[in-house]
Amino acid sequence: MPAESVSTRPSRSGGSLGLTLVLSEITVLFRRLRTWAMIGALALIPILIAVVVRVSSDTSGSGRGPAFLNSITQNGLFVSLTALTVAIPLFLPLTIGVVAGDTIAGEANLGTLRYLLVAPAGRIRLLLVKYAGAALFCFVATLTVVVTGAIIGALLFPVGPVTLLSGDTVGIGGYFVRLLLLALYVTVSLLGLSAIGLFISTLTTIPVGAMAATAALAAVAQILGALPQLEWLHPWLFTNYWLGFADLLREPIVWTSFADNALLQLGYIAVFGALAYGRFSTRDVLS
Amino acid sequence: MSTTDFAIRTRGLTKVFGRQAAVGGIDLAVPRGTVFGFLGPNGSGKTTTIRMLLGLATATSGEIDLLDGEMPRDARAVLPRVGALVEGPAIYPFLSGRANLRRFDAADRHTSPSTRTARVDAALERVGLGHAANKRAHAYSLGMKQRLGIANALLAPRDLLILDEPTNGLDPQGTREVRHLIRSLSDDGTTIFVSSHLLAEVEQMCSMIAVMSAGRLVAQGTLDELRDEGTARVRITTPDPLEARRVLLGLGLAPEVHGRDDVVTAQLSVPGLLPETVNTALVRAEVRVRGFEASGASLEDRFVALTGEGFDVAG
Ligand SMILES: Nc1ncnc2c1ncn2[C@@H]1O[C@H](COP(=O)(O)OP(=O)(O)OP(=O)(O)O)[C@@H](O)[C@H]1O
Ligand SMILES: [Mg+2]
């Protein structure tokens, strides 16, 4: 029997906070063509809106269409706002569904999950890292719509001080602060859905299934939210405050919907995070 | 031997899928420092066992000691010292080979980021992928992916390597290099647990083996021990095969006649029966013997005897 081998492993210092894995997760996420295709598609929304309004601006003004649409011709800064209103119900949840639904199921499908776990990444740590990646994507996706909207708006329309919903006027600087707050609001709005997607992703090894299920749930929640008969249910739907960002456009800013929204999303994160942990910590990895 | 003399030790390890016991209560004992072959036909439960050893799947019952810990309880302490290839390699197709390895290395919170580049490059060189390191992994051939999977197991110095069919898909040079690699790692003191369904391969690399069949461990020991447990056989070349057969039957054997070559073979399955006794009996019966050959049991005979003759996978 040979003597017990003396371990010559490298020093155990760096990266013990697990930040390296977060960085790696972000790198992998943003090295995928798919991620950039989705971001590109999101950027197209404000561009499309701005160009269409610009080309047909003479005949506008019927009062129909998405909120803020008619304000664009007077001030290009409203392009971001209009684009967000259009993207929130369908397009943003779709992209979040793809990213959040892919988190665990995608790794299981590739088989890379077993090598991450054997490394060992740690199951809880991997869940947290995956969720952090999805949350970052929510922010990047939202910011893409906002920033592209601001740029294309400035290119095609006059920009200047903006009249808020409360009738007050803020300068361009003040308006950009509001836009950033808006992006934060929408990001927070999507965190609950991301947690749901993470949980669904632990249930399967077929990423497309998890993606579709997550996006479908966002649609179902919005349909339920549109039915007045289910009024009692509405405060519990994760989509309830999705379009409630108007309060950020008043002077002074009314924070109640931001706070209510954050609390609701936190609840969803807690519940579905716990479910995801419960499922993933005991699951056999057989792919 | 105390438990710490073993790199892997299981007691009654069992995994049930639905109603089928994929692994049915096995007691593995892999001494430290050995190259240990884990042999068995398709579907016999090798990969399932390895998944349980590494904490990927929970055992239905039984215990696992891995290095100085117990799995899955001590996974965090033990797994950084274990390199593994399980059920073939897995890759991110949109990343380069190098980026793939960096990713897996980053997953282990104990590895040092400052040495990552050097360690990844060393692992790539070791499996001969140095020149293809920056190629997207989806463009890798089967054997290149397999090499990448082996490189992943070698990212850090390990005390134990668990390799599930490491030569799968490799060309002859690749197979030979893997054999050399395993030998040199073993010389450095690493314990190597390698599964295979190729007997010849295991025979060349390993000093000890365990044989699985339909979820059970049917043999375990050194190669010589396993050979000795087998029965010797005789091979007779004769123009009178039918007479020879009758004589052998009379001795209580179960001869087989291979007509075209005038060859009769038989396992010496009767205890105490020696080859020379068989020869004497043939001569007494005036069987014309052109050639007589007695051989010890080949490991292959032993393997087939242990795991069954048929081609069909045990369901
Ligand atoms: N996820 C699963 N669900 C149900 N049964 C499974 C699963 N994985 C494996 N099995 C069953 O467990 C048994 C052992 O499979 P395992 O993969 O461990 O075999 P193996 O020895 O590795 O075979 P091979 O040489 O083909 O790799 C097989 O009968 C198989 O059908
Ligand atoms: Mg297998």
Side-chain angles (χ1 to χ4, degrees):
Chain A
M1 180 70 44
E4 187 177 323
S5 63
V6 178
S7 171
T8 49
R9 288 181 303 282
S11 71
R12 311 252 130 166
S13 50
S16 52
L17 287 173
L19 277 181
T20 20
L21 188 52
V22 176
L23 280 181
S24 160
E25 179 63 27
I26 295 169
T27 316
V28 170
L29 181 60
F30 286 99
R31 272 206 204 164
R32 292 193 88 153
L33 197 60
R34 189 180 71 196
T35 308
W36 289 105
M38 291 192 298
I39 288 175
L42 283 168
L44 273 181
I45 295 174
I47 295 176
L48 203 69
I49 292 173
V51 170
V52 169
V53 170
R54 176 68 210 241
V55 168
S56 58
S57 60
D58 298 335
T59 56
S60 72
S62 64
R64 292 190 299 135
F68 312 110
L69 186 64
N70 296 316
S71 314
I72 294 178
T73 45
Q74 288 125 50
N75 198 328
L77 292 176
F78 277 106
V79 175
S80 299
L81 226 79
T82 316
L84 268 186
T85 322
V86 171
I88 284 171
L90 180 66
F91 227 81
L92 273 173
L94 207 62
T95 58
I96 305 310
V98 169
V99 171
D102 194 51
T103 44
I104 300 295
E107 300 277 1
N109 184 253
L110 288 175
T112 44
L113 182 57
R114 62 177 182 270
Y115 289 111
L116 293 176
L117 292 181
V118 164
R123 296 195 180 208
I124 305 173
R125 180 161 161 259
L126 188 60
L127 271 183
L128 290 174
V129 166
K130 283 290 178 184
Y131 188 72
L136 178 72
F137 180 82
C138 292
F139 184 61
V140 171
T142 313
L143 211 59
T144 302
V145 177
V146 170
V147 171
T148 324
I151 295 172
I152 192 78
L155 288 178
L156 298 187
F157 302 100
V159 283
V162 183
T163 308
L164 297 174
L165 297 179
S166 54
D168 302 84
T169 304
V170 292
I172 294 186
Y175 183 78
F176 274 116
V177 172
R178 307 280 170 138
L179 273 189
L180 193 66
L181 282 177
L182 210 63
L184 273 178
Y185 182 97
V186 177
T187 304
V188 169
S189 291
L190 295 169
L191 291 182
L193 180 63
S194 301
I196 294 173
L198 182 74
F199 168 59
I200 296 177
S201 194
T202 61
L203 299 178
T204 173
T205 58
I206 304 161
V208 187
M211 295 173 191
T214 309
L217 270 181
V220 169
Q222 290 182 84
I223 293 169
L224 295 180
L227 298 177
Q229 290 83 351
L230 297 176
E231 194 98 49
W232 55 271
L233 182 67
H234 293 174
W236 303 100
L237 293 171
F238 62 90
T239 50
N240 193 38
Y241 300 97
W242 274 15
L243 292 170
F245 50 71
D247 287 353
L248 295 174
L249 299 174
R250 297 181 206 282
E251 183 65 42
I253 296 175
V254 183
W255 289 101
T256 40
S257 50
F258 195 106
D260 290 348
N261 185 26
L263 198 65
L264 179 69
Q265 301 300 330
L266 220 59
Y268 271 91
I269 294 171
V271 170
F272 284 91
L275 285 174
Y277 168 72
R279 163 71 182 161
F280 189 56
S281 60
T282 56
R283 163 176 152 184
D284 279 355
V285 176
L286 298 171
S287 57
Chain B
M1 275 196 273
S2 74
T3 43
T4 49
D5 291 332
F6 294 98
I8 303 172
R9 196 141 165 68
T10 71
R11 278 173 297 274
L13 186 62
T14 303
K15 181 71 187 181
V16 178
F17 289 119
R19 287 160 64 201
Q20 178 203 11
V23 177
I26 67 172
D27 301 318
L28 267 177
V30 179
R32 293 201 192 222
T34 48
V35 179
F36 193 102
F38 192 42
L39 204 58
N42 293 139
S44 55
K46 303 183 296 293
T47 303
T48 306
T49 303
I50 288 174
R51 282 185 197 283
M52 289 189 284
L53 293 180
L54 294 170
L56 291 171
T58 332
T60 308
S61 64
E63 288 161 41
I64 303 168
D65 293 333
L66 200 66
L67 296 174
D68 306 310
E70 193 187 310
M71 287 297 287
R73 197 192 62 201
D74 301 322
R76 269 182 68 172
V78 168
L79 287 182
R81 299 162 60 193
V82 181
L85 176 71
V86 192
E87 186 111 295
I91 54 157
Y92 299 92
F94 48 89
L95 294 181
S96 70
R98 178 177 279 124
N100 264 282
L101 291 189
R102 294 186 69 88
R103 162 81 167 163
F104 293 128
D105 194 60
D108 178 0
R109 87 185 82 189
H110 302 301
T111 56
S112 157
S114 58
T115 58
R116 180 162 299 143
T117 305
R119 285 182 294 109
V120 165
D121 285 348
L124 285 165
E125 281 308 324
R126 208 147 187 194
V127 298
L129 276 181
H131 293 297
N134 292 324
K135 206 171 173 170
R136 292 257 178 117
H138 76 83
Y140 276 18
S141 70
L142 179 66
M144 288 163 82
K145 286 177 191 158
Q146 186 75 10
R147 287 166 191 246
L148 193 66
I150 296 173
N152 173 42
L154 304 176
L155 281 174
R158 314 283 194 188
D159 295 336
L160 170 65
L161 281 179
I162 295 182
L163 303 173
D164 193 6
E165 316 218 2
T167 57
N168 206 6
L170 291 186
D171 52 29
Q173 293 95 311
T175 309
R176 236 185 38 202
E177 277 159 35
V178 166
R179 259 196 326 259
H180 285 312
L181 190 66
I182 287 178
R183 207 160 293 146
S184 78
L185 289 164
S186 171
D187 290 343
D188 296 344
T190 308
T191 309
I192 295 157
F193 182 78
V194 47
S195 92
S196 178
H197 52 258
L198 298 175
L199 179 76
E201 185 176 284
V202 166
E203 222 174 339
Q204 286 183 57
M205 290 191 292
C206 304
S207 49
M208 293 189 72
I209 63 173
V211 182
M212 289 285 284
S213 175
R216 306 213 155 261
L217 203 57
V218 289
Q220 179 166 227
T222 65
L223 282 181
D224 291 335
E225 279 166 7
L226 256 92
R227 279 199 199 94
D228 289 347
E229 281 172 24
T231 44
R233 53 194 292 130
V234 292
R235 179 189 156 95
I236 302 146
T237 317
T238 168
D240 312 320
L242 293 179
E243 284 80 1
R245 180 169 176 273
R246 201 171 316 119
V247 172
L248 294 180
L249 279 174
L251 290 170
L253 301 178
E256 285 172 56
V257 179
H258 310 272
R260 251 186 318 176
D261 309 324
D262 295 342
V263 168
V264 182
T265 59
Q267 302 254 354
L268 290 182
S269 49
V270 176
L273 184 64
L274 296 171
E276 45 269 40
T277 319
V278 175
N279 197 16
T280 313
L282 287 168
V283 172
R284 287 231 175 93
E286 296 187 345
V287 175
R288 295 171 292 170
V289 175
R290 200 179 287 150
F292 186 91
E293 198 183 316
S295 59
S298 81
L299 212 52
E300 185 165 355
D301 292 334
R302 185 74 187 120
F303 182 53
V304 170
L306 285 169
T307 59
E309 189 79 66
F311 174 70
D312 286 345
V313 170

